[in-house]
Amino acid sequence: MIADHVHPGVQALAEALERHFRTDVPANLYASWHPTEAFGIHWDDHDTVIVQLEGAKRWNLCGATGPDPLRLDVEAPEKPEGPSLAEVALQAGDMLYVPRGWWHAVAATQGRPLHLTCGLPPATGHHLLVWLAGQLLHFPTLRANVVSEFAASLDACDPGRPAPSLPHIGDVPADPGLVLALTTARAELEGTDEAAVLPKTASTSTQN
């Protein structure tokens, strides 16, 4: 449950954390009815502040296995090996800080535990670049269509539309009517939208 939207006290806590850390702070409420680890061992891409409200929970902390991980990473960090770094038992009224990227597993140990998780999303260089890109939209030059110099730089780099490949040219049967054209990608094509004739330097035709 997203508790900061429905509970005035939780909303006040989230707003206080936002003022202190200068970031948006969502607050989620988690209830457990049995000792099974609901999410298994996992990590979050933001720091978290845990507040145990009722019952008790056991937190197994394993530390991070990669620097500053994000959900958008090409490769996810590997799961930790070996024993956990610490095992923490939270009772009602206890608080716990879990850094971003730290692997952890949580299980109920007493009663019907209820805890609050306040997320602290980081401000990364990626966020800075996204903000800068938005600011650049105020400049007419960058609001216009792609400039010709940039389009020309994409020649032979932009894959364009996917096309069938012929990896085994030697297996093409001898047929005088068969023409194989090898072309380079072009960022801009002159002519109609349906067809364009490329210069001879950008294509090669052979007959078999």
Side-chain angles (χ1 to χ4, degrees):
M1 177 186 294
I2 305 177
D4 55 305
H5 290 173
V6 298
H7 192 281
V10 176
Q11 181 178 359
L13 173 62
E15 292 175 350
L17 291 173
E18 288 176 347
R19 288 192 296 269
H20 183 80
F21 291 105
R22 298 293 192 269
T23 185
D24 295 332
V25 178
N28 297 337
L29 192 64
Y30 295 92
S32 301
W33 312 117
H34 50 77
T36 303
E37 296 177 351
F39 296 104
I41 187 168
H42 64 285
W43 57 274
D44 297 308
D45 60 354
H46 53 270
D47 298 348
T48 55
V49 174
I50 313 301
V51 182
Q52 190 68 33
L53 301 177
E54 291 186 12
K57 282 190 174 182
R58 183 191 72 250
W59 288 69
N60 280 319
L61 305 174
C62 298
T65 57
D68 302 325
L70 295 171
R71 296 294 179 188
L72 298 178
D73 285 345
V74 177
E75 296 182 359
E78 296 181 358
K79 286 188 175 182
E81 298 181 357
S84 58
L85 294 180
E87 183 176 308
V88 180
L90 293 187
Q91 304 289 335
D94 291 341
M95 295 180 64
L96 174 68
Y97 166 72
V98 180
R100 162 188 173 190
W102 275 45
W103 291 84
H104 55 276
V106 188
T109 58
Q110 181 181 345
R112 294 184 174 182
L114 188 68
H115 83 264
L116 190 69
T117 296
C118 298
L120 307 175
T124 66
H126 173 264
H127 294 98
L128 174 61
L129 292 177
V130 171
W131 177 81
L132 287 174
Q135 297 301 306
L136 292 176
L137 293 178
H138 296 288
F139 294 88
T141 302
L142 296 178
R143 295 176 61 89
N145 292 341
V146 177
V147 293
S148 58
E149 290 82 0
F150 174 70
S153 72
L154 296 179
D155 282 354
C157 296
D158 190 346
R161 293 179 180 271
S165 62
L166 296 175
H168 306 292
I169 302 299
D171 294 337
V172 177
D175 184 351
L178 179 63
V179 177
L180 175 64
L182 303 178
T183 63
T184 61
R186 297 285 305 207
E188 290 185 346
L189 298 178
E190 298 179 356
T192 66
D193 294 337
E194 297 181 354
V197 178
L198 303 181
K200 292 183 179 180
T201 55
S203 64
T204 302
S205 297
T206 182
Q207 291 187 350
N208 252 331

